[in-house]
Amino acid sequence: MIDSADVDPDADYSLPGWIYTDEEFQRLEVERIFRPSWQIVCHVSEVPNPGDYQTLDYVGESVVVIRGDDGELRAFTNVCRHRAMRLVQGPSGCAKKLVCPYHAWVYETDGRLTGVPMKGEYPSLKLEENGLAPVALEVWHGFIFVRLEDAGFPSVAEMMAPFDAEVAQYRFEDMRSMGPVRHRPRDVNWKNVGDNYSDNLHIPVAHDGLSRLVGKTYRIEAHGWADRLYGDVVKNEKQNYWEKFYSAHMPRVDHLPEEAHGRWLYYKLWPNMAFDIYADQIDFMQWLPISPTTCLLREVAYCLPDDRREMKLVRYANWRINRNVNAEDTWLINNVQMGMASKSYGTGPIATSEVCLRSFARKIRALIPEARQPFAPPAGWSRKV
């Protein structure tokens, strides 16, 4: 496992451009980064009853998280053990039993295989050996994560341990979704999205609205497997209507300390997830690789039940502000991706203040050492690894 104290001899340089477009590099990323890493699926409130399930499709797998008849949450690959048919379709649903739509094999909500038509025609079949393939599951502050393989990476709770007290005060467990998951395809490498999320130097250059809102308070911190970023809402005459409205009308949230009411707090978790935390709501964002130059963003907002008119208006103001930030970020990452394809670009210098980018690059280089090469090796290099 990567140690947080590991020294990176290339610490002063960015990751090279070729790994943002290379198919062979992405295949190694799937094997060494994504299959062993935790991925967020949903909130526990979205699978409240026996048989309720949610799915997550990524890196060639489909995972189903289902609440069993005993009330326990479990995760399985969404694959029938007979002919590999997907058992459930779509992002969510409810089923008393999981019945394969191809040949009607029947699985219980705990994964056991209990029904096989014409069972006598399968002389070697043992029901107890053909249950659904389990997937590791972790619940952290009300959110459900899954992991396909164990390579020694820390749990979500371990990654976020330095911030547990800060997170606890927001009462994630009691929140409910504000709408369905939004899926946003992007024509960029997944690392490009995460790099931009952790980048602090572009805030005053490319985000006029966010800069007006938080002024010069924006800070970033690298803490091993998670980054902490934050800015405190200020008041100034240059703000537009919605920026002024948000800072002026944020209602009191009794369980939060005073400083949290004006703090925009962000956590980026290894390798591709983030929580945006506000006094009025939280959002999670996840960027999943599709190809070396495309990814899929999964986004959804959660909040505590609150029918106050001022809270509803502040949440709307939050959306108006962040809509512009997201549009600006989309333009930035699209143009960076085009630049990464240039044969003239190898690596770039990283400032000492870019602690989050340094932390991420160190992990990538440790897991896939070829990332230390500024330019792409000859085709077929990954077969020699």
Side-chain angles (χ1 to χ4, degrees):
M1 193 171 100
I2 307 164
D3 189 278
S4 60
D6 287 346
V7 175
D8 183 2
D10 299 308
D12 292 334
Y13 298 93
S14 71
L15 292 172
W18 70 271
I19 71 171
Y20 290 73
T21 62
D22 189 80
E23 290 186 6
E24 294 184 63
F25 196 88
Q26 191 195 30
R27 285 197 291 270
L28 290 183
E29 288 178 328
V30 169
E31 174 188 338
R32 300 183 188 181
I33 296 173
F34 278 92
R35 290 190 65 87
S37 294
W38 293 98
Q39 296 295 325
I40 192 168
V41 180
C42 63
H43 192 269
V44 291
S45 64
E46 293 166 298
V47 281
N49 303 308
D52 288 344
Y53 64 82
Q54 296 270 334
T55 63
L56 175 65
D57 296 349
Y58 70 110
V59 296
E61 298 281 5
S62 179
V63 178
V64 57
V65 170
I66 188 167
R67 192 173 292 276
D69 295 334
D70 57 0
E72 292 295 316
L73 287 167
R74 298 178 179 86
F76 307 98
T77 54
N78 183 18
V79 179
C80 179
R81 298 295 300 277
H82 179 211
R83 296 292 300 282
M85 179 69 179
R86 284 198 173 182
L87 295 169
V88 299
Q89 307 292 318
S92 63
C94 184
K96 291 183 178 180
K97 298 178 185 292
L98 298 175
V99 181
C100 179
Y102 199 8
H103 300 105
W105 283 35
V106 179
Y107 301 87
E108 303 301 317
T109 56
D110 61 6
R112 290 178 296 124
L113 174 63
T114 55
V116 175
M118 298 181 293
K119 181 176 177 294
E121 295 192 10
Y122 301 88
S124 64
L125 176 64
K126 296 180 181 179
L127 297 183
E128 65 274 12
E129 295 178 358
N130 284 275
L132 297 179
V135 173
L137 181 148
E138 179 182 358
V139 177
W140 174 81
H141 285 278
F143 286 96
I144 301 170
F145 296 76
V146 296
R147 182 192 62 196
L148 296 170
E149 296 175 6
D150 184 2
F153 291 164
S155 67
V156 179
E158 289 169 336
M159 286 193 287
M160 292 295 290
F163 324 111
D164 197 68
E166 184 173 44
V167 169
Q169 64 190 357
Y170 288 91
R171 292 170 40 186
F172 282 12
E173 295 90 339
D174 299 327
M175 290 188 171
R176 298 295 181 267
S177 67
M178 297 174 66
V181 174
R182 300 181 297 274
H183 293 93
R184 302 184 188 277
R186 291 289 183 264
D187 291 328
V188 302
N189 181 273
W190 70 275
K191 296 185 293 298
N192 192 343
V193 180
D195 290 348
N196 181 73
Y197 190 94
S198 295
D199 183 300
N200 59 313
L201 299 183
H202 82 284
I203 302 297
V205 179
H207 290 312
D208 291 344
L210 186 58
S211 296
R212 289 192 301 265
L213 191 72
V214 300
K216 297 181 179 180
T217 68
Y218 198 80
R219 299 289 185 272
I220 65 171
E221 304 166 358
H223 294 265
W225 296 90
D227 299 335
R228 180 178 181 266
L229 311 88
Y230 67 93
D232 293 319
V233 173
V234 299
K235 296 181 181 180
N236 67 66
E237 292 307 311
K238 295 182 180 180
Q239 291 175 343
N240 68 21
Y241 175 82
W242 290 111
E243 293 156 4
K244 289 179 179 178
F245 185 96
Y246 186 90
S247 61
H249 295 284
M250 179 68 219
R252 177 71 192 175
V253 181
D254 290 338
H255 61 272
L256 290 178
E258 191 61 38
E259 67 269 15
H261 283 73
R263 175 154 291 179
W264 282 29
L265 176 64
Y266 309 90
Y267 289 111
K268 175 176 175 270
L269 288 69
W270 168 264
N272 65 318
M273 299 172 292
F275 283 95
D276 302 349
I277 304 174
Y278 318 98
D280 51 292
Q281 65 186 66
I282 69 168
D283 309 322
F284 89 67
M285 184 170 74
Q286 176 183 38
W287 40 100
L288 297 166
I290 303 299
S291 77
T293 56
T294 60
C295 66
L296 178 69
L297 271 61
R298 294 180 74 236
E299 303 170 321
V300 64
Y302 294 86
C303 66
L304 293 170
D306 192 332
D307 291 330
R308 289 179 292 176
R309 182 173 180 271
E310 60 266 40
M311 182 61 82
K312 293 178 180 179
L313 290 172
V314 162
R315 287 169 178 165
Y316 179 72
N318 182 315
W319 175 78
R320 289 293 297 256
I321 296 166
N322 276 307
R323 181 180 65 173
N324 291 335
V325 176
N326 291 336
E328 292 160 350
D329 280 332
T330 299
W331 184 85
L332 291 169
I333 60 178
N334 284 343
N335 279 273
V336 168
Q337 187 65 40
M338 288 187 283
M340 291 296 188
S342 171
K343 293 186 181 300
S344 70
Y345 185 78
T347 61
I350 291 187
T352 55
S353 63
E354 297 181 275
V355 293
C356 298
L357 290 177
R358 285 171 170 255
S359 176
F360 180 76
R362 180 180 59 80
K363 295 181 183 64
I364 295 292
R365 293 182 183 118
L367 291 166
I368 309 177
E370 287 73 20
R372 299 188 184 280
Q373 301 184 31
F375 294 97
W381 64 268
S382 62
R383 292 194 292 271
K384 301 174 184 178
V385 174

